[in-house]
Amino acid sequence: MRAVNPFSYFVDYASQISGFGGERPSPDPQYCFHTRYEPVRPGRAIYRLRLLGAQASEGQLTVRVHAFRPDFGGAPSLAAGSRLELGGERKQDLEVAVPFHAIGGVAYALYGFFSEPTNLAVDQVEVALDEPEGGEQVEIEAPRSALAAEAAAPEAGPATGLIHHGAVERTRPVSQDCTWRQLDGGGTVAARVSRWREAVCVAAIVAYSVDLPGLDGWVAGEMSVALHDALRSNPLALHARSEAPARDSGEFADVIVWPAGLRTGIDAPERWATLHAWLERLKIGGLAAIGMTYDPDDARTGELTRNEIRQWAFRLIGLGYSVAPLAFADSDELVRDEAGLAACCFIVQRQ
């Protein structure tokens, strides 16, 4: 573990944490700290922030790991993030760890800003970087897909802003809700939502340019006759799978299509474990389109929520995936089932 200067990027700018940083006022009224960009050994790494002698009556500090590829140019992208709740009657030492998956040829920095107003005062700000020794060791390394050489669609790349703004389309999906505007006609609402799930997954194959001859993919779970027929006309070879292969099986896919997605009635740890088990089977560059059912009102104990989906997105980014931006619809636009649950599609690419 090595110490990193928290204020080594904007050396002249004063931090909103009183007494730290440079002499000049920062143009960003929320700015707290920003380390310089530096290479990190490939594998599982962790930035650790410590606020010694911290005291605040309220507030929130958001901490992000930003990634930058000098050879690619462009703006830095979000690699991982976390939040630190502030408050308390007496001084205390606060700490937050932000794990991320470091990739060779990429430089990383830790950035912090106040996401809620605060009167935070601290005695000392410390940042440390814990990186793997000699790179991460894995049981079986995922092979590289032919897709990894292709330029990703703009929506599929990692982004500093993970929220999609503007209207969504069924034919060019991001990670989006099922809304009334996207449903086709005919049949029960449940049947129309089921067709929407399958249509969005098929559309993702085309929109993200993974419908190529020579690629192999899996359809997880149940598949309708209509989906079977639609996939038969696609040059991508897709095979039905009832469950994710074991980690030591050596089986990987270029594409995973999972229209029905996670079942309801399972707890959060099992949801994550099931989702991650499938995504671990993607080749480098591979894409997954996954249907989900969730509670948009956070009113049913134990059901998947929007907040949990957001947490998955940040967690997956930290593990080296890209997540298509999240597009959660307004409540009056959502299609809900009899239990009040909504449907969405989650699109992930392994980097």
Side-chain angles (χ1 to χ4, degrees):
M1 185 179 296
R2 54 188 166 104
V4 179
N5 182 349
F7 310 101
S8 52
Y9 188 71
F10 295 124
V11 293
D12 295 333
Y13 290 153
S15 169
Q16 293 303 315
I17 305 175
S18 180
F20 292 90
E23 300 292 331
R24 297 171 54 193
S26 170
D28 180 0
Q30 298 175 298
Y31 164 71
C32 293
F33 63 87
H34 197 316
T35 71
R36 65 182 180 275
Y37 284 92
E38 54 187 296
V40 179
R41 283 193 293 268
R44 187 69 165 166
I46 303 174
Y47 268 114
R48 301 184 187 275
L49 168 69
R50 297 185 69 204
L51 303 179
L52 305 181
Q55 189 170 17
S57 58
E58 61 181 357
Q60 184 184 77
L61 175 65
T62 292
V63 184
R64 292 178 173 175
V65 177
H66 284 181
F68 178 66
R69 298 193 67 163
D71 54 337
F72 276 36
S77 60
L78 177 66
S82 186
R83 293 181 177 89
L84 184 62
E85 298 297 332
L86 307 172
E89 297 181 356
R90 61 184 65 184
K91 284 189 175 183
Q92 56 184 322
D93 294 343
L94 301 177
E95 181 174 344
V96 61
V98 189
F100 63 101
H101 185 90
I103 300 172
V106 179
Y108 296 89
L110 189 67
Y111 165 58
F113 63 95
F114 288 136
S115 42
E116 290 185 5
T118 183
N119 56 354
L120 174 68
V122 303
D123 294 334
Q124 188 62 40
V125 181
E126 296 180 352
V127 172
L129 175 60
D130 187 1
E131 56 186 331
E133 296 182 3
E136 185 180 60
Q137 299 297 319
V138 295
E139 296 175 4
I140 297 180
E141 185 175 355
R144 189 175 182 85
S145 169
L147 296 170
E150 301 294 329
E155 296 89 348
T160 301
L162 196 58
I163 306 302
H164 177 80
H165 299 282
V168 296
E169 304 176 30
R170 196 172 86 168
T171 55
R172 188 169 179 79
V174 290
S175 296
Q176 66 198 53
D177 282 330
C178 178
T179 61
W180 289 105
R181 184 177 61 85
Q182 297 177 64
L183 288 187
D184 59 16
T188 65
V189 172
R192 294 164 70 191
V193 170
S194 180
R195 291 199 297 270
W196 174 86
R197 293 175 186 274
E198 294 185 345
V200 169
C201 287
V202 172
I205 293 175
V206 178
Y208 292 93
S209 302
V210 298
D211 56 337
L212 303 175
L215 298 182
D216 289 313
W218 302 331
V219 179
E222 298 180 356
M223 175 173 32
S224 72
V225 173
L227 177 60
H228 180 269
D229 292 343
L231 295 176
R232 283 185 61 188
S233 62
N234 195 293
L236 167 69
L238 286 164
H239 312 281
R241 298 297 298 252
S242 59
E243 59 184 24
R247 295 185 63 185
D248 60 354
S249 67
E251 296 183 78
F252 293 88
D254 295 290
V255 179
I256 296 176
V257 176
W258 190 8
L262 297 163
R263 70 180 189 277
T264 59
I266 60 177
D267 60 18
E270 186 177 355
R271 282 193 291 266
W272 167 253
T274 304
L275 174 72
H276 192 215
W278 279 105
L279 295 180
E280 279 190 314
R281 299 298 90 202
L282 281 174
K283 295 178 183 178
I284 303 300
L287 187 91
I290 304 168
M292 296 179 182
T293 299
Y294 78 98
D295 177 8
D297 305 316
D298 197 11
R300 296 167 60 92
T301 302
E303 290 292 353
L304 179 64
T305 64
R306 288 182 173 181
N307 186 53
E308 188 175 344
I309 294 172
R310 292 188 188 99
Q311 291 175 2
W312 284 350
F314 279 109
R315 193 170 183 179
L316 288 168
I317 289 169
L319 291 172
Y321 295 81
S322 292
V323 178
L326 305 174
F328 291 125
D330 293 336
S331 181
D332 59 350
E333 298 177 353
L334 289 173
V335 181
R336 299 171 183 255
D337 63 17
E338 295 179 352
L341 302 180
C344 69
C345 182
F346 193 60
I347 300 174
V348 180
Q349 186 173 35
R350 188 168 188 177
Q351 299 297 311

